[in-house]
C-alpha cells in the first residue's frame, strides 16, 4: 500500500521511467535495426550517437552497480520485459533445437577458427537448429554470421568473410560498417538466431548478425539464460575466463539433471582443450571417477563430428520424447 506521503516519490519514479533512454516495458526482443538506430555505415563516428551507445553511456553514468532506486527499478523492469520476450520467442521455437556456441570475444575475423565456426553454424541452421551465443564479437559474431548466411552458397559466405576481413577486430573502426555491408548484400528473412549480450560488457559491441537480441543489464541473468536455454547442446570453442565459467556451470546443471535431462557438451579444438587449457581432460577424468555424472562429452576438431553428435541427440529426443520434457 502506498501512503499519501509517498505518492510524490512514486510519481517521481514514474516520470524517471519515462525519461530513461530505454523502454522499461517493451514486449519484443531487440534486433540490429533498433539497437543501431542512428548509425550510418558511411560515418563511423555515428556509432557514438546510436541507440545502443546512448543506453550504454547512461548505464555508465549511473554506475554499473547503482543504489539509486529509480535507476535500479528501470533496469529491473527492462530486464524483466526482456525475459518475458524470451518466453515468447521459445513459444515459437522448439527449445530442444537450440544449440549454444561459446567462445572468446577476441577471436579475429581472419582467424581460421572464426571461419570454422561460421560454416558450422551455417550448417546447423540449415539443418533445422537455431544457434545461441553471448551476442558479442569474436566467436559469438561468427556464430550469428553463420546463421545469417544460411540458405546462401558457400561462395557467398566466403565473400562475406572477405568483406569482414577489412576490420578483423571489434576494436577496428570499420568493424560495424563492414558488418552492415554484409547485412545489406545478403538479406536474411528465413532463418533465426538468438544472441544474449549485456551492457556490463558494453565496450564490446553486440553483433548485428543475430536476428533476435535479448540484451540485459544484469549479467547474472544473461549468463543463466545463455547456459540454460541451449537444450539441444553447447559447443565450446577456445576462449578464456568467461568460457571456463560457462563450461563448469553447464557441467553442474547436466550433472544434477536440473531440467530433467542432460545435453551434449562438445569441445571444438583438441589441442586447446587438452593441452593449452585442459578442461576437457579434467571433465573426462572426473566423469570416469564418478565425480560428475550424466555428462555427454565430445572432443573434436571436425565440424562433421559436431553435426553428427547434435543430430544423434535429436534422434534420441525423437525416439524417447518422454525423457526430454522440461522439469
Amino acid at each position: 500500500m502506498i501512503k499519501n506521503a509517498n505518492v510524490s516519490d512514486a510519481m517521481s519514479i514514474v516520470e524517471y521511467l519515462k525519461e530513461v533512454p530505454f523502454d522499461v516495458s517493451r514486449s519484443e526482443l531487440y534486433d540490429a535495426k533498433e539497437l543501431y538506430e542512428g548509425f550510418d555505415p558511411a560515418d563511423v563516428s555515428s556509432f557514438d550517437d546510436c541507440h545502443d551507445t546512448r543506453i550504454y553511456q547512461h548505464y555508465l553514468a549511473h554506475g554499473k552497480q547503482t543504489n539509486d532506486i529509480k535507476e535500479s527499478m528501470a533496469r529491473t523492469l527492462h530486464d524483466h520485459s526482456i525475459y518475458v520476450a524470451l518466453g515468447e520467442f521459445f513459444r515459437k521455437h522448439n527449445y530442444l533445437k537450440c544449440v549454444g556456441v561459446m567462445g572468446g570475444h577476441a577471436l579475429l575475423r581472419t582467424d581460421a577458427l572464426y571461419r570454422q565456426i561460421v560454416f558450422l553454424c551455417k550448417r546447423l541452421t540449415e539443418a533445422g537448429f537455431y544457434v545461441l551465443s553471448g551476442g558479442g564479437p569474436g566467436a559469438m559474431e561468427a556464430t550469428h554470421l553463420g546463421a545469417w548466411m544460411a540458405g546462401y552458397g558457400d561462395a557467398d559466405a566466403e565473400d562475406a568473410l572477405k568483406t569482414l576481413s577489412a576490420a578483423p577486430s571489434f576494436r577496428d573502426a570499420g568493424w560495424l560498417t563492414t558488418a552492415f555491408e554484409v547485412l545489406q548484400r545478403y538479406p536474411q528473412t528465413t532463418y533465426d538466431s538468438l544472441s544474449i549480450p549485456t551492457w556490463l560488457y558494453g565496450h564490446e559491441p553486440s553483433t548485428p548478425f543475430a536476428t533476435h537480441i535479448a540484451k540485459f543489464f544484469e549479467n547474472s541473468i544473461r549468463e543463466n539464460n545463455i547456459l540454460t536455454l541451449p537444450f539441444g547442446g553447447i559447443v565450446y570453442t577456445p576462449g578464456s575466463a568467461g568460457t571456463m565459467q560457462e563450461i563448469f556451470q553447464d557441467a553442474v546443471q547436466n550433472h544434477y539433471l536440473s531440467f530433467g535431462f542432460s545435453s551434449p557438451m562438445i569441445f571444438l579444438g583438441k589441442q586447446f582443450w587438452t593441452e593449452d587449457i585442459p578442461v576437457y581432460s579434467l571433465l573426462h577424468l572426473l566423469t570416469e571417477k564418478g565425480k560428475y555424472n550424466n555428462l555427454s562429452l565430445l572432443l573434436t576438431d571436425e565440424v562433421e563430428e559436431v553435426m553428427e553428435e547434435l543430430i544423434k541427440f535429436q534422434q534420441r529426443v525423437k525416439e524417447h520424447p518422454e525423457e526430454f520434457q522440461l522439469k
Side-chain angles (χ1 to χ4, degrees), residues 179-190:
F180 271 76
E181 287 180 25
V182 172
L183 292 173
Q184 184 175 17
R185 191 179 309 156
Y186 300 104
Q188 179 59 264
T189 59
T190 303

Side-chain angles (χ1 to χ4, degrees), residues 45-62:
S45 66
S46 64
F47 174 76
D48 296 335
D49 297 318
C50 74
H51 185 49
D52 188 53
T53 302
R54 291 197 303 273
I55 296 176
Y56 182 52
Q57 290 171 342
H58 172 91
Y59 174 67
L60 292 180
H62 289 78

Side-chain angles (χ1 to χ4, degrees), residues 148-162:
W148 187 271
M149 296 306 297
Y152 289 100
D154 287 356
D156 295 322
E158 294 288 4
D159 179 63
L161 286 167
K162 182 178 179 180

Side-chain angles (χ1 to χ4, degrees), residues 9-215:
D9 290 338
M11 292 304 297
S12 69
I13 291 175
V14 171
E15 289 303 313
Y16 186 84
L17 297 180
K18 294 178 181 178
E19 294 170 359
V20 294
F22 50 89
D23 184 356
V24 303
S25 59
R26 60 182 302 111
S27 59
E28 298 178 342
L29 299 177
Y30 292 101
D31 60 15
K33 182 178 179 181
E34 181 179 2
L35 274 186
Y36 290 114
E37 181 184 5
F39 174 70
D40 179 1
D43 178 10
V44 174
S45 66
S46 64
F47 174 76
D48 296 335
D49 297 318
C50 74
H51 185 49
D52 188 53
T53 302
R54 291 197 303 273
I55 296 176
Y56 182 52
Q57 290 171 342
H58 172 91
Y59 174 67
L60 292 180
H62 289 78
K64 292 183 176 181
Q65 299 295 325
T66 180
N67 292 321
D68 185 317
I69 188 171
K70 297 177 185 178
E71 179 65 18
S72 179
M73 182 173 290
R75 295 179 188 181
T76 299
L77 288 172
H78 170 276
D79 284 2
H80 175 71
S81 296
I82 293 294
Y83 184 77
V84 172
L86 271 175
E88 289 298 317
F89 178 88
F90 278 93
R91 269 185 273 278
K92 300 173 183 177
H93 297 78
N94 182 352
Y95 61 87
L96 287 165
K97 291 282 189 176
C98 182
V99 172
V101 181
M102 308 298 152
H105 67 272
L107 181 67
L108 298 179
R109 290 166 161 177
T110 51
D111 194 292
L113 176 61
Y114 185 99
R115 180 184 181 278
Q116 187 180 36
I117 296 170
V118 168
F119 280 94
L120 167 63
C121 293
K122 183 177 185 296
R123 288 192 59 188
L124 282 171
T125 305
E126 291 170 343
F129 295 93
Y130 57 98
V131 292
L132 174 154
S133 87
M140 294 171 281
E141 180 190 55
T143 297
H144 297 286
L145 174 59
W148 187 271
M149 296 306 297
Y152 289 100
D154 287 356
D156 295 322
E158 294 288 4
D159 179 63
L161 286 167
K162 182 178 179 180
T163 299
L164 297 177
S165 69
S169 168
F170 72 91
R171 296 182 175 87
D172 294 327
W175 184 85
L176 193 56
T177 294
T178 52
F180 271 76
E181 287 180 25
V182 172
L183 292 173
Q184 184 175 17
R185 191 179 309 156
Y186 300 104
Q188 179 59 264
T189 59
T190 303
Y191 298 98
D192 291 336
S193 70
L194 174 64
S195 73
I196 310 182
T198 173
W199 279 289
L200 179 66
Y201 302 135
H203 62 287
E204 300 176 7
S206 302
T207 174
F209 292 113
T211 60
H212 296 74
I213 304 172
K215 194 158 189 176

